[in-house]
Amino acid sequence: GLVREVLGGDGSVADALVPPTSWAYDGEAARVIAFDRSAAIKSLQAAGWSKIDGAWAAPRAKAPYELELLSVPATANPRLAAMATAVKVAWTDLGFKVTLMEKPAAELAADLHGGTYTAAVLDIMTGLEPDLYPLLASSQVRLPGSNLTGFQDAKLDELLESARKPAPQADRVGAWKALLAGIGARIPMLPLTW
C-alpha cells in the first residue's frame, strides 16, 4: 500500500536493509514482515496491552500510550513526509495515539542523537557499496555515530565488520548473507520502501 498509494508505484517494498537491486541483497536471508492488523492486535494483547478510552495502553498503565513520530517537513522532502503521515494514519487506525512532529534537520538530528523520540520515519541511503556498520554497530551509538536506535549486539558487530572487509566478491556475498540472516528479527528498525 505504501508503494502504491504514497509513492505512486515508484518504489518497491523493503524487506531488508539493502535494496533487492544490490549485489549484497539475499532473498533467503531477507525478513518479510507482512502488514497484518489482526496479528498486531493479538501480539499487543498477548504482551498485556489493553485499550483505555479506545487507545492502546501499556501493561498496568493508567492512560493510553502516546507515540511521538518524528520526520522532516513536507517542504524539505515531500515523499518522506507523506510516508510519515501514512505511518501515523496506520498506527492511529490500529488504535494508538500518535502525534507527528515535523522538524527541521538540525532539531531532528538533535532529538535523534539525544534519544528523545519514540519513533521516526527517515530516509537511509545505502549507496552503491552498502555498509550498515555506521547504522547498527555498537561503537556508532556515541556521537557522531549514526546508530540512532542505541541498539548494541556484539555478535552483530562481528557480522558488520565481516561484511565491510575487502575480500573476493564471493566471500563478500557470503558475509552479507550471514549479516542479513544475523540481523533477523532483532533489527531495531523496520525498513518500509526502496
Side-chain angles (χ1 to χ4, degrees), residues 135-159:
L135 190 63
L136 295 172
S138 298
S139 66
Q140 300 303 299
V141 170
R142 295 181 303 276
L143 282 173
S146 297
N147 182 343
L148 303 174
T149 64
F151 182 76
Q152 298 179 51
D153 182 313
K155 289 181 183 177
L156 181 59
D157 289 341
E158 292 174 15
L159 294 170

Side-chain angles (χ1 to χ4, degrees), residues 14 23-24 29 36 41 43 74 111 158 194:
W23 64 265
D36 187 336
I41 290 170
S43 292
D111 283 351
E158 292 174 15
W194 290 110

